[in-house]
Amino acid sequence: MQVKIRKLGTALMDILYPPSCVLCGADVAQHGLTCAACFGRLQPISRPFCDACATPQPSQESLGHTGLCAACEQHHPAWQQARAAFVYTTAARDLILQLKYADRTENARFLAQRMAQIGQDILYPDVLLVPVPVHRWRLLRRRYNQAALLADEVARIRHLQMAPDALVRIRATTKLAGFSRKERQQEMHSAITFRPKWQQKLQGRSVVLVDDMLTTGATATACVQALKQAGVRSVRLLVAGLVPTRPEVDINLPE
């Protein structure tokens, strides 16, 4: 009976609010999907990619015997492994920025579905999901943390535990877009720590750090350092969008 009522409710909602593409608004079969044209604009990441920075590679031969790209073999990131759902092209950028700045919170479900898929090998049953934090003043303006929404959706899909406020950004930082690697590191220095109430649950755990984007890694590195201080055993990284490598950007580190 409850199933019939739920199906009836869904059908009624579809009549009142027809399913539309999360990117362009065109009609689609069900809520939370893209139309065929917009899906074709997305660039999902698939193997081969670097195990540490998630950067797609032209062939498996481009990776060393450890599964790392040349840059990560030379200088491994602070985290152990990384997985990313999409290359940060125009379509992925629109999805992420709409989620981040335009109250399109429904985009979190679409992005998280692909994140849960590409990250299935690091999303162990006993792993703890921890979102990258935003400063309280930014949270007040935005009313939500997009990384926490993504982590919550991934946790729901994979039936995992989540620590929504295990990390805290204790200092407001400037937006990092346009900063060099060194400037990003300086800006993020001592900006993030862990909440003492979570330390007992963090100690000895395997953590997957969740964020919307991976660019140079300054923010993620600061989070990893804070988690290690809390006593976690390992940290892996899961993001929605990966900014393509540029020669002037150090691949070892996100925003």
Side-chain angles (χ1 to χ4, degrees):
M1 185 66 176
Q2 288 181 339
V3 174
K4 289 183 178 179
I5 293 174
R6 189 158 52 245
K7 287 183 177 179
L8 181 61
T10 300
L12 182 59
M13 288 298 293
D14 286 349
I15 293 172
L16 295 174
Y17 303 101
S20 59
C21 171
V22 294
L23 270 170
C24 72
D27 292 342
V28 292
Q30 56 183 286
H31 291 286
L33 299 178
T34 62
C35 65
C38 286
F39 186 79
R41 293 170 51 216
L42 288 166
Q43 189 176 335
I45 293 177
S46 59
R47 294 187 183 278
F49 54 78
C50 175
D51 192 53
C53 68
T55 302
Q57 303 295 313
S59 68
Q60 189 63 39
E61 288 68 33
S62 304
L63 300 170
H65 69 279
T66 57
L68 305 182
C69 66
C72 289
E73 280 189 335
Q74 195 171 42
H75 181 194
H76 199 287
W79 53 88
Q80 287 185 276
Q81 295 172 291
R83 300 290 182 266
F86 298 101
V87 174
Y88 193 68
T89 54
T90 303
R93 181 197 66 194
D94 290 346
L95 279 170
I96 292 170
L97 294 188
Q98 287 170 8
L99 166 64
K100 199 168 183 174
Y101 300 116
D103 292 337
R104 292 287 298 275
T105 56
E106 65 272 19
N107 289 6
R109 177 165 293 191
F110 176 85
L111 293 166
Q113 287 173 346
R114 176 60 185 168
M115 291 168 69
Q117 183 181 5
I118 193 65
Q120 58 185 322
D121 65 328
I122 65 170
L123 295 171
Y124 311 121
D126 62 342
V127 82
L128 182 66
L129 299 185
V130 175
V132 169
V134 296
H135 190 265
R136 63 181 182 277
W137 296 121
R138 191 166 293 174
L139 186 61
L140 282 172
R141 291 195 301 270
R142 195 177 294 165
R143 303 186 308 282
Y144 58 87
N145 174 4
Q146 74 281 353
L149 294 182
L150 291 168
D152 185 59
E153 288 291 344
V154 173
R156 180 186 60 81
I157 294 168
R158 292 294 177 188
H159 308 290
L160 298 172
Q161 289 186 312
M162 172 189 169
D165 61 344
L167 295 177
V168 57
R169 197 176 293 232
I170 56 177
R171 179 168 56 81
T173 54
T174 305
K175 289 184 179 180
L176 301 182
F179 278 31
S180 69
R181 172 180 177 264
K182 185 176 180 180
E183 289 169 336
R184 286 170 182 254
Q185 289 178 318
Q186 291 173 341
E187 183 65 18
M188 291 307 303
H189 180 68
S190 301
I192 294 174
T193 189
F194 65 90
R195 292 186 188 275
K197 70 176 184 178
W198 282 102
Q199 185 168 14
Q200 187 174 359
K201 194 162 188 176
L202 288 169
Q203 283 185 335
R205 293 293 296 271
S206 293
V207 165
V208 170
L209 182 68
V210 179
D211 204 3
D212 56 345
M213 287 171 54
L214 174 62
T215 52
T216 65
T219 300
T221 297
C223 290
V224 172
Q225 291 168 347
L227 289 166
K228 290 293 181 67
Q229 289 172 358
V232 303
R233 184 171 74 250
S234 63
V235 183
R236 292 170 174 84
L237 183 62
L238 179 63
V239 299
L242 173 74
V243 176
T245 308
R246 302 188 301 276
E248 70 276 14
V249 173
D250 190 319
I251 192 60
N252 294 311
L253 298 170
E255 184 192 271

